[in-house]
Amino acid sequence: MSSELDALIGQKWKKPPFIKRTWLRWTLGIGFTAYLIAAFMTIDVNWSRVYEGLDRGAAFILAFTSPDFISRAADIRDGILESIIMTVAASVVGIAISIPIGLGAARNIAPLPVYLVCRGIVAISRALQEIIVAILLVAIFGFGPLAGFLTLSFATIGFLSKLLAEDIESMDKVQAEAIKASGARWLQWINYGVQPQVMPRLVGLSMYRIDINFRESAILGLVGAGGIGATLNTAFDRYEYDTAAAILIIIILIVMALEYLSGIIRAKVQ
């Protein structure tokens, strides 16, 4: 059937190239390949060390077939509990602070001075990566979950405020203007005109941020900011790959549970 159709049309259809000019397409391809080769040549790779590390890598992968949940059960339990407490507390505080900042960072409902201040807070929070903030806070407050709690709260503010502000700026203006036209005060306008439109999205983003905060809590422990990351780092330092595998399996299971819970809550809200 296709050959008959080709015969009728006289020429097979071919997808047009993304870049029409042949010489330009080849030039860009060769240039990109040369750039990749040059970039790779600048990387200082110690191949003998890589070869020696293959055995440790294989041992770590094989450890997932026999994870050890028993030998350091108390440390794993304490680390997981510390990460959960740190995650929940930081998420609650971060979300509570993000809502007013998100409202202030939405240009369609906030006056210009408030908008600039709130956008500045969002920009600062998003500019600093969590590890950098954690190292700074560990230097100020010392090792422990307090530095991790403050780091996750700070990161939550930048993440949630920005996305909340963008949702408010793209909301349906008709509903909000109808509430305003009824003579509602500013808080009533926010409660009845803005909040119903952004609440499902806010709940979904909050659940997503809790998921991120738990995973970040495992990373922050590597720099001394508390959580299960400290236990994981110790297991790696001692070459206890079976214990490290057990910790990673628990983290994966908790993240999967959070993802499942997030889906249920989003479905209920929407």
Side-chain angles (χ1 to χ4, degrees):
M1 184 67 183
S2 60
S3 58
E4 296 176 1
L5 184 60
D6 292 339
L8 291 174
I9 296 175
Q11 185 177 3
K12 291 184 178 180
W13 181 85
K14 291 179 63 177
K15 182 180 178 181
F18 181 70
I19 301 174
K20 293 182 179 179
R21 298 181 181 178
T22 306
W23 66 269
L24 180 59
R25 187 166 63 247
W26 277 99
T27 302
L28 289 176
I30 293 172
F32 182 70
T33 304
Y35 172 79
L36 286 180
I37 294 173
F40 182 77
M41 296 295 289
T42 60
I43 300 174
D44 185 16
V45 181
N46 187 338
W47 292 107
S48 61
R49 185 172 180 179
V50 172
Y51 180 75
E52 293 172 359
L54 290 177
D55 291 337
R56 288 194 291 271
F60 176 65
I61 294 173
L62 290 175
F64 279 90
T65 61
S66 57
D68 183 5
F69 295 92
I70 306 301
S71 300
R72 300 189 63 197
D75 293 335
I76 295 174
R77 184 194 61 229
D78 293 343
I80 290 291
L81 284 177
E82 194 170 84
S83 278
I84 293 175
I85 293 172
M86 196 164 67
T87 298
V88 173
S91 299
V92 170
V93 172
I95 292 168
I97 298 175
S98 298
I99 292 174
I101 295 178
L103 291 171
R107 185 66 188 95
N108 55 339
I109 66 171
L112 183 59
V114 176
Y115 169 78
L116 293 176
V117 171
C118 291
R119 279 290 174 180
I121 295 172
V122 172
I124 293 172
S125 177
R126 288 175 51 79
L128 300 176
Q129 213 275 338
E130 283 91 339
I131 292 294
I132 298 174
V133 177
I135 292 173
L136 176 63
L137 292 176
V138 165
I140 296 173
F141 298 104
F143 295 104
L146 177 60
F149 160 73
L150 294 174
T151 301
L152 295 177
S153 300
F154 184 74
T156 301
I157 293 171
F159 173 85
L160 206 62
S161 298
K162 181 180 187 303
L163 297 179
L164 177 61
E166 291 178 352
D167 278 348
I168 295 174
E169 288 176 344
S170 60
M171 69 178 182
D172 183 9
K173 297 179 181 178
V174 175
Q175 180 178 341
E177 289 176 355
I179 298 297
K180 184 183 287 185
S182 67
R185 289 174 293 180
W186 189 82
L187 284 177
Q188 293 173 323
W189 176 53
I190 295 295
N191 191 28
Y192 297 107
V194 177
Q195 180 265 129
Q197 298 192 56
V198 300
M199 181 56 74
R201 175 76 168 158
L202 176 61
V203 172
L205 290 173
S206 299
M207 293 303 301
Y208 182 50
R209 187 63 216 185
I210 292 173
D211 181 353
I212 294 175
N213 282 348
F214 182 75
R215 286 185 279 119
E216 291 288 344
S217 71
I219 298 173
L220 298 181
L222 300 178
V223 295
I228 189 61
T231 310
L232 181 63
N233 191 35
T234 303
F236 278 121
D237 289 342
R238 295 178 178 177
Y239 299 104
E240 297 173 350
Y241 295 133
D242 47 0
T243 301
I247 294 171
L248 292 176
I249 289 173
I250 293 174
I251 292 174
I252 292 171
L253 291 177
I254 292 177
V255 171
M256 290 175 65
L258 287 173
E259 180 67 25
Y260 181 69
L261 181 64
S262 172
I264 293 175
I265 293 177
R266 282 201 303 267
K268 293 285 185 184
V269 172
Q270 292 174 355

